[in-house]
């Protein structure tokens, strides 16, 4: 074996050994690197749409908790902001929410399609199960009235969040709310 090949083989072996040490040196309970730079100010996009809300679900991630609003068609616009209290659509009653801060999520669309068929069957005050979430404390349906569908999201504290839309699958779309675990 030539000197060049031996040197290359030794260097490759050392690289693998060092990489193994670096990977195994991280403490078992270490927090993941979370480069969050979203902010906590009001966020809004889009206009009123005709596609109705179909379902709502949540998810846990290393750096944030997620709420997904599944739309049965193209996503309508939305408005999301921290508020002192969230009120129900139509009636205007306070929607009690667990947590140290409250996000008001307003989808600029209905729960009914153009023919009047109901796509989201939640009742005002219905909540999602959030056992084991780091940031989310409460997600409740606040009703739908005259093309505005409201949800209250209770979170641990006033933390950074982002909102965006995703197309698909198929003709569906999603409005996604991510709330960071920390600043």
């Amino acid at each position: 074996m030539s000197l060049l090949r031996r040197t290359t083989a030794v260097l490759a072996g050392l690289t693998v050994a060092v990489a193994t040490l670096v990977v195994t040196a991280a403490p078992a309970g270490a927090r993941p690197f979370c480069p969050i730079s979203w902010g906590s100010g009001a966020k809004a996009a889009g206009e009123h749409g005709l596609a109705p809300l179909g379902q709502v679900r949540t998810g846990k991630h290393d750096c944030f908790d997620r709420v997904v609003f599944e739309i049965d068609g193209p996503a309508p616009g939305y408005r999301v902001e921290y508020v002192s209290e969230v009120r129900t659509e139509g009636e205007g009653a306070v929607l009690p929410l667990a947590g140290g801060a409250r996000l008001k999520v307003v989808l600029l669309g209905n729960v009914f399609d153009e023919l009047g068929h109901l796509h989201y069957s939640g009742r005002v005050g219905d909540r999602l199960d959030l056992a084991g979430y780091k940031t989310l404390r409460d997600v409740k349906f606040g009703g739908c009235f005259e093309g505005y569908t409201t949800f209250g999201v209770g979170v641990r504290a006033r933390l950074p969040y982002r909102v965006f839309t995703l197309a698909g699958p198929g003709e569906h779309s999603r409005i996604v709310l991510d709330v960071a675990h920390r600043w």
Side-chain angles (χ1 to χ4, degrees), residues 63-146:
C63 300
F64 55 86
D65 290 344
R66 174 170 282 180
V67 182
V68 178
F69 302 92
E70 187 86 31
I71 310 298
D72 293 340
Y78 58 82
R79 293 192 315 249
V80 181
E81 65 182 320
Y82 279 106
V83 295
S84 58
E85 58 189 25
V86 176
R87 295 192 170 267
T88 61
E89 285 296 335
E91 186 179 62
V94 173
L95 188 64
L97 295 166
R102 289 151 225 49
L103 281 166
K104 179 180 181 180
V105 177
V106 178
L107 308 178
L108 305 180
N110 271 309
V111 294
F112 296 95
D113 65 20
E114 296 169 326
L115 300 174
H117 299 120
L118 182 65
H119 284 249
Y120 181 75
S121 59
R123 292 175 297 157
V124 172
D126 279 357
R127 71 182 335 155
L128 300 177
D129 179 21
L130 297 173
Y133 281 77
K134 291 182 181 178
T135 296
L136 294 178
R137 297 294 185 257
D138 222 347
V139 176
K140 285 185 182 175
F141 181 51
C144 181
F145 187 70
E146 295 184 349

Side-chain angles (χ1 to χ4, degrees), residues 38 43 57-59 61 64-71 75-76 78 80 105 107 161-168 173-179:
W38 304 332
K43 296 164 179 52
R57 64 183 185 279
T58 58
H61 296 266
F64 55 86
D65 290 344
R66 174 170 282 180
V67 182
V68 178
F69 302 92
E70 187 86 31
I71 310 298
Y78 58 82
V80 181
V105 177
L107 308 178
Y161 70 97
R162 68 179 174 180
V163 185
F164 57 96
T165 59
L166 294 170
S173 59
R174 292 159 283 164
I175 297 174
V176 179
L177 166 66
D178 291 336
V179 184

